[in-house]
mmCIF file of all heavy atoms in Angstrom:
data_model
loop_
_atom_site.group_PDB
_atom_site.id
_atom_site.type_symbol
_atom_site.label_atom_id
_atom_site.label_comp_id
_atom_site.label_asym_id
_atom_site.label_seq_id
_atom_site.Cartn_x
_atom_site.Cartn_y
_atom_site.Cartn_z
ATOM 1 N N PHE K 282 15.794 -10.115 0.534
ATOM 2 C CA PHE K 282 14.712 -10.057 1.521
ATOM 3 C C PHE K 282 14.814 -11.227 2.495
ATOM 4 O O PHE K 282 15.052 -12.373 2.089
ATOM 5 C CB PHE K 282 13.353 -10.126 0.827
ATOM 6 C CG PHE K 282 12.993 -8.908 0.015
ATOM 7 C CD1 PHE K 282 13.934 -8.296 -0.827
ATOM 8 C CD2 PHE K 282 11.724 -8.364 0.081
ATOM 9 C CE1 PHE K 282 13.601 -7.182 -1.584
ATOM 10 C CE2 PHE K 282 11.400 -7.245 -0.679
ATOM 11 C CZ PHE K 282 12.324 -6.668 -1.513
ATOM 12 N N SER K 283 14.610 -10.941 3.777
ATOM 13 C CA SER K 283 14.560 -11.982 4.807
ATOM 14 C C SER K 283 13.352 -11.720 5.706
ATOM 15 O O SER K 283 12.989 -10.569 5.907
ATOM 16 C CB SER K 283 15.838 -11.951 5.670
ATOM 17 O OG SER K 283 16.993 -12.134 4.889
ATOM 18 N N SER K 284 12.777 -12.794 6.222
ATOM 19 C CA SER K 284 11.650 -12.631 7.134
ATOM 20 C C SER K 284 11.884 -13.513 8.353
ATOM 21 O O SER K 284 12.331 -14.636 8.238
ATOM 22 C CB SER K 284 10.312 -12.996 6.453
ATOM 23 O OG SER K 284 10.368 -14.314 5.942
ATOM 24 N N PHE K 285 11.574 -12.925 9.503
ATOM 25 C CA PHE K 285 11.817 -13.601 10.796
ATOM 26 C C PHE K 285 10.477 -13.762 11.506
ATOM 27 O O PHE K 285 9.595 -12.883 11.440
ATOM 28 C CB PHE K 285 12.782 -12.804 11.618
ATOM 29 C CG PHE K 285 12.889 -13.287 13.056
ATOM 30 C CD1 PHE K 285 13.761 -14.331 13.374
ATOM 31 C CD2 PHE K 285 12.153 -12.711 14.081
ATOM 32 C CE1 PHE K 285 13.881 -14.775 14.679
ATOM 33 C CE2 PHE K 285 12.255 -13.164 15.389
ATOM 34 C CZ PHE K 285 13.122 -14.220 15.692
ATOM 35 N N LEU K 286 10.338 -14.861 12.243
ATOM 36 C CA LEU K 286 9.119 -15.096 13.023
ATOM 37 C C LEU K 286 9.450 -15.610 14.422
ATOM 38 O O LEU K 286 10.289 -16.483 14.563
ATOM 39 C CB LEU K 286 8.225 -16.125 12.313
ATOM 40 C CG LEU K 286 6.992 -16.595 13.081
ATOM 41 C CD1 LEU K 286 5.983 -15.450 13.221
ATOM 42 C CD2 LEU K 286 6.339 -17.788 12.403
ATOM 43 N N SER K 287 8.728 -15.063 15.407
ATOM 44 C CA SER K 287 8.745 -15.601 16.773
ATOM 45 C C SER K 287 7.301 -15.769 17.193
ATOM 46 O O SER K 287 6.593 -14.779 17.477
ATOM 47 C CB SER K 287 9.467 -14.655 17.740
ATOM 48 O OG SER K 287 9.236 -15.063 19.095
ATOM 49 N N ARG K 288 6.807 -16.974 17.171
ATOM 50 C CA ARG K 288 5.409 -17.228 17.522
ATOM 51 C C ARG K 288 5.113 -16.941 18.980
ATOM 52 O O ARG K 288 4.038 -16.442 19.330
ATOM 53 C CB ARG K 288 5.045 -18.687 17.174
ATOM 54 C CG ARG K 288 4.961 -18.962 15.684
ATOM 55 C CD ARG K 288 4.804 -20.433 15.399
ATOM 56 N NE ARG K 288 5.979 -21.179 15.850
ATOM 57 C CZ ARG K 288 6.050 -22.494 15.851
ATOM 58 N NH1 ARG K 288 5.015 -23.222 15.485
ATOM 59 N NH2 ARG K 288 7.155 -23.114 16.267
ATOM 60 N N SER K 289 6.055 -17.225 19.847
ATOM 61 C CA SER K 289 5.809 -16.993 21.291
ATOM 62 C C SER K 289 5.649 -15.498 21.595
ATOM 63 O O SER K 289 4.922 -15.118 22.512
ATOM 64 C CB SER K 289 6.950 -17.576 22.122
ATOM 65 O OG SER K 289 8.188 -16.944 21.817
ATOM 66 N N LYS K 290 6.301 -14.667 20.791
ATOM 67 C CA LYS K 290 6.230 -13.231 20.992
ATOM 68 C C LYS K 290 5.180 -12.573 20.092
ATOM 69 O O LYS K 290 4.926 -11.370 20.213
ATOM 70 C CB LYS K 290 7.582 -12.575 20.773
ATOM 71 C CG LYS K 290 8.648 -13.017 21.776
ATOM 72 C CD LYS K 290 9.975 -12.281 21.495
ATOM 73 C CE LYS K 290 11.041 -12.709 22.532
ATOM 74 N NZ LYS K 290 12.334 -12.060 22.277
ATOM 75 N N GLY K 291 4.612 -13.334 19.186
ATOM 76 C CA GLY K 291 3.662 -12.736 18.256
ATOM 77 C C GLY K 291 4.321 -11.656 17.429
ATOM 78 O O GLY K 291 3.752 -10.562 17.273
ATOM 79 N N TYR K 292 5.482 -11.951 16.914
ATOM 80 C CA TYR K 292 6.317 -10.920 16.290
ATOM 81 C C TYR K 292 6.998 -11.443 15.037
ATOM 82 O O TYR K 292 7.442 -12.603 14.973
ATOM 83 C CB TYR K 292 7.357 -10.498 17.323
ATOM 84 C CG TYR K 292 8.510 -9.663 16.803
ATOM 85 C CD1 TYR K 292 8.298 -8.339 16.364
ATOM 86 C CD2 TYR K 292 9.801 -10.179 16.744
ATOM 87 C CE1 TYR K 292 9.353 -7.578 15.906
ATOM 88 C CE2 TYR K 292 10.865 -9.409 16.275
ATOM 89 C CZ TYR K 292 10.629 -8.105 15.864
ATOM 90 O OH TYR K 292 11.675 -7.369 15.403
ATOM 91 N N SER K 293 7.064 -10.575 14.056
ATOM 92 C CA SER K 293 7.783 -10.891 12.823
ATOM 93 C C SER K 293 8.452 -9.621 12.327
ATOM 94 O O SER K 293 8.058 -8.506 12.674
ATOM 95 C CB SER K 293 6.803 -11.399 11.755
ATOM 96 O OG SER K 293 7.426 -11.542 10.488
#
Side-chain angles (χ1 to χ4, degrees):
Chain K
F282 291 44
S283 301
S284 56
F285 171 84
L286 174 67
S287 169
R288 288 171 297 172
S289 63
K290 295 181 179 179
Y292 167 70
S293 173

